[in-house]
Amino acid sequence: MTEESGNKWVLMVTAQTPTNIAVIKYWGKRDEKLILPINDSISVTLDPSHLCTTTSVAVSPDFTHDRMWLNGKEISLSGGRFQNCLREIRSRASEVEDDEKGIKITKKDWEKLHVHIASYNNFPTAAGLASSAAGFACLVFSLAKLMNLKEDQSKLSSIARQGSGSACRSLFGGFVKWIMGKEKNGSDSVAVQLADENHWDDLVIIIAVVSSRQKETSSTSGMLETVETSMLIQHRAKEVVPKRIIQMEEAIKKRDFPSFAHLACADSNQFHAVCLDTTPPIFYMNDTSHRIISCVEKWNRSEGTPQVAYTFDAGPNAVLISHNRKTAAHLLQRLLFYFPPNSDTDLNSYVIGDKTILQDAGIQDMKDVEALAPPPEIKDNIPTHKYKGDVSYFICTRPGRGPVLLTDSSQALLDHKTGLPK
């Protein structure tokens, strides 16, 4: 390690990685340590301008140990998952030279050097919005850039997988398949891109954040209990999912929304049925989740063809996928009719992300929300219930790109001189 005129140095990389939502779910592992799944899964990557993790990683000979800060708070890196990722990346590190700073780091040096990591999610952590997926994907992607790894994204995905299973799918944009693999060492359990984010850019996604609280049963413990106690999970993994994977790949390839919607809804419902079949049963959805499903199902039935697909991960938040902008505007009208904000809530903070969907829906302020007519699929003689305040907020987004490096130093989360959080 050389340094110019004995000056201290910090070398840093900042990256941004999206989260993803599975439309064919991953639930259950065949190997807990390596995080190898019992079935393939398929996901949609969400636009990182609305949902992402930003991570800065820095290295310096002055750092005495590896440290990490998540959303401004220092957290321990002693957990096996962090250690697995760090070990795998260090073992693949290459030589790095920075002529401007007079730095040369050899492959051997990386074994002795320590890193500082700062990570920030622009959405709730551990609330069923795949924050760990974006987080570990960003950690692996940024460290791989810092340490000059030569591996391609699929190879990197097998490292990210060891941090959080779903993280492997966040290393690509658009539509992504996580291949379960057959090898005991997990070498063939990798993510591949099925189509990029421009392949089906008509789709609009609205997320109803029903609760941003941490869930009672983590995905890790939930999966373990399901595999140990559910009879349904074996049938799902062996008989149901393999057929659905083929059908979903075909639906995405052909941009066949009715098939896509049918498969996404059915797979989400079966995943939650498997959670209920677990001993003790796991309840990720709540009454508001069920009301959103009912609203979508009634609308889809009344139209005779699916307008919207719904899917829920391990939490109560609804991810609603519309087949175009016009449908998304009609969906938002329905959601605001049934789930208006509390009187003291600002509409600007109640609908976030791509606010142009609000304009398409003809909604500018709370008066417009209050003036919304009941959806036509409601029978005239049935009184309509409204559930004010039951949704925390809505995020309007779309399919998005994979990870990118951020070159603007103002976006870095660590100080370029000290390597400590700004």
Side-chain angles (χ1 to χ4, degrees), residues 225-241:
E225 287 165 7
T226 297
V227 170
E228 285 175 355
T229 65
S230 169
M231 296 289 283
L232 272 182
I233 191 73
Q234 305 308 329
H235 172 70
R236 168 176 165 74
K238 288 186 180 131
E239 304 295 331
V240 181
V241 174

Side-chain angles (χ1 to χ4, degrees), residues 177-236:
K177 178 183 180 181
W178 174 12
I179 301 164
M180 64 180 279
K182 293 185 170 68
E183 298 296 331
K184 275 195 169 179
N185 67 359
S187 59
D188 58 347
S189 184
V190 296
V192 293
Q193 188 180 58
L194 298 175
D196 71 18
E197 62 273 22
N198 300 314
H199 167 71
W200 201 353
D201 57 3
D202 291 346
L203 299 181
V204 177
I205 299 162
I206 299 178
I207 302 169
V209 180
V210 173
S211 167
S212 54
R213 285 181 315 192
Q214 198 152 343
K215 54 204 177 202
E216 283 179 33
T217 308
S218 74
S219 300
T220 304
S221 61
M223 280 187 212
L224 194 57
E225 287 165 7
T226 297
V227 170
E228 285 175 355
T229 65
S230 169
M231 296 289 283
L232 272 182
I233 191 73
Q234 305 308 329
H235 172 70
R236 168 176 165 74

Side-chain angles (χ1 to χ4, degrees), residues 54-72:
T54 301
T55 299
S56 291
V57 290
V59 63
S60 170
D62 292 337
F63 298 166
T64 55
H65 58 290
D66 294 336
R67 296 177 74 183
M68 180 169 181
W69 294 265
L70 175 61
N71 295 333

Side-chain angles (χ1 to χ4, degrees), residues 112-229:
K112 305 187 287 283
L113 287 164
H114 296 287
V115 292
H116 283 185
I117 303 158
S119 203
Y120 174 76
N121 296 327
N122 70 348
F123 59 96
T125 304
L129 284 174
S131 57
S132 64
F136 276 104
C138 208
L139 176 76
V140 168
F141 180 79
S142 53
L143 283 171
K145 294 296 181 190
L146 180 74
M147 298 189 189
N148 195 21
L149 266 68
K150 306 299 183 193
E151 271 75 4
D152 64 19
Q153 292 294 84
S154 270
K155 287 269 171 58
L156 287 183
S157 79
S158 74
I159 302 174
R161 186 202 73 229
Q162 294 175 57
S164 167
S166 305
C168 70
R169 297 190 309 244
S170 273
L171 282 162
F172 296 94
F175 299 85
V176 186
K177 178 183 180 181
W178 174 12
I179 301 164
M180 64 180 279
K182 293 185 170 68
E183 298 296 331
K184 275 195 169 179
N185 67 359
S187 59
D188 58 347
S189 184
V190 296
V192 293
Q193 188 180 58
L194 298 175
D196 71 18
E197 62 273 22
N198 300 314
H199 167 71
W200 201 353
D201 57 3
D202 291 346
L203 299 181
V204 177
I205 299 162
I206 299 178
I207 302 169
V209 180
V210 173
S211 167
S212 54
R213 285 181 315 192
Q214 198 152 343
K215 54 204 177 202
E216 283 179 33
T217 308
S218 74
S219 300
T220 304
S221 61
M223 280 187 212
L224 194 57
E225 287 165 7
T226 297
V227 170
E228 285 175 355
T229 65

